[in-house]
Amino acid sequence: MNATSTGALLLCRADPETVRPLAHLLREQMLLTRAGGEWSVLVPEGKPWRGTGPGGGDPEPVDRVLGGWATALAVGSTWPVLALWWDGDRAGYTLAAGFRRTVGYIWLADGTPVGEDEAMRTFAARLGLDPVLDLQALEELTRPDPESDAEARLRGLLAVLTRTGLTLPPGLGPGESADRLRSVAGVQRGAERIEWAGWRDAVRVELDAVEAGGLGPWVRGPRARAIAAAQLAAGLPLLLWGVRRRSAGWAAAGAVLLAQGALGLAYHRAREAAERS
């Protein structure tokens, strides 16, 4: 790898139709395409790690930006999100699943592992991987190997995930530059552009997804209101903390929680109003 090969991918264990509504709420321009039978991949069109965080300041590292995005997507969904990232010095992953603590691992550019072995065990458990064969392959990635650089380590990680149905298109993988990733994603069959179009469209997209999904019967009633209230209660302090720390990723996570909670309550009220009319 070299200093110009900074890149990032968000792998979501859900189909594009399921990922699309939450991806809109990140308020970032991305390309969304399928990555196998059970996976989708989001490719950033911009390079926010080269800009400044909220309120100015130094650019954020790519791993922090991607970690915030992964958390933002995971807290509003029932499926895990895996952020892969690499730059001239390091490479690694962050796995987010619901409200649980994120887990990640880092390799230096030459492949030297600098993470904790426990992270791989947690990674395997949360993705439902084989506790013997798959875990053994993952643990190999945490041992010194002078023949494997950081790019090879990430490819090894993806090789294990192919057993879950993950299939990335050729050219969409570790070591590629952000520009190359964007170009490859854009020519994939069924690829679509995700971009922020305002809160009104976000509400419409979210309600359409709820109506079409299998969770429709569970979005109303006392349980739905309690979940929405919890999202609002958790989202506001997280958003404020992200702004104070000048972390665009964590601020996005708080914003998504607030949006999910607000949309949940709005949906409930809209349905009640429609029934009364």
Side-chain angles (χ1 to χ4, degrees), residues 150-175:
E151 180 181 337
R153 301 286 196 172
L154 285 182
R155 287 200 304 267
L157 184 81
L158 291 172
V160 175
L161 293 180
T162 59
R163 301 169 195 171
T164 68
L166 175 66
T167 305
L168 284 173
L172 204 63

Side-chain angles (χ1 to χ4, degrees), residues 199-240:
W199 287 108
R200 179 174 297 179
D201 284 348
V203 171
R204 177 184 55 77
V205 171
E206 181 74 10
L207 296 184
D208 287 347
V210 170
E211 292 287 353
L215 296 178
W218 298 93
V219 298
R220 297 187 63 192
R223 179 178 297 179
R225 288 196 297 270
I227 292 174
Q231 289 174 322
L232 289 172
L236 181 58
L238 186 58
L239 173 62
L240 295 177

Side-chain angles (χ1 to χ4, degrees), residues 21-266:
L22 282 179
H24 276 282
L25 297 178
L26 287 179
R27 304 178 70 173
E28 295 284 345
Q29 291 186 338
M30 297 190 178
L31 289 166
L32 171 64
T33 189
R34 189 173 294 276
E38 300 180 9
W39 291 82
S40 302
V41 57
L42 285 163
V43 180
E45 286 203 89
K47 303 170 185 175
W49 45 85
R50 290 189 177 180
T52 56
D58 295 332
E60 286 192 272
V62 61
D63 58 320
R64 188 180 299 173
V65 173
L66 266 289
W69 286 348
T71 300
L73 289 171
V75 295
S77 67
T78 58
W79 28 268
V81 181
L82 177 63
L84 299 182
W85 53 268
W86 53 92
D87 59 24
D89 300 316
R90 305 175 303 155
Y93 71 79
T94 300
L95 177 65
F99 286 93
R100 289 181 289 185
R101 182 178 61 86
T102 59
V103 60
Y105 202 91
I106 295 174
W107 295 271
L108 300 183
D110 63 2
T112 301
V114 292
E116 298 180 1
D117 292 348
E118 181 61 31
M120 286 299 188
R121 290 189 284 272
T122 304
F123 178 87
R126 290 187 182 175
L127 289 178
L129 301 177
D130 187 288
V132 179
L133 297 179
D134 290 341
L135 182 56
Q136 182 179 6
L138 290 173
E139 288 180 337
E140 287 292 328
L141 301 175
T142 68
R143 301 188 179 110
D145 182 356
E147 302 300 321
S148 295
D149 61 10
E151 180 181 337
R153 301 286 196 172
L154 285 182
R155 287 200 304 267
L157 184 81
L158 291 172
V160 175
L161 293 180
T162 59
R163 301 169 195 171
T164 68
L166 175 66
T167 305
L168 284 173
L172 204 63
E176 301 288 354
S177 69
D179 293 334
R180 168 67 175 166
L181 295 173
R182 184 177 64 250
S183 298
V184 171
V187 299
Q188 298 305 309
R189 182 177 181 182
E192 57 182 299
R193 178 169 281 101
I194 301 295
E195 54 187 342
W196 178 250
W199 287 108
R200 179 174 297 179
D201 284 348
V203 171
R204 177 184 55 77
V205 171
E206 181 74 10
L207 296 184
D208 287 347
V210 170
E211 292 287 353
L215 296 178
W218 298 93
V219 298
R220 297 187 63 192
R223 179 178 297 179
R225 288 196 297 270
I227 292 174
Q231 289 174 322
L232 289 172
L236 181 58
L238 186 58
L239 173 62
L240 295 177
W241 184 85
V243 171
R244 285 198 300 270
R245 293 290 299 272
R246 297 178 178 177
S247 172
W250 289 109
V256 169
L257 275 175
L258 284 174
Q260 286 287 104
L263 290 174
L265 293 177

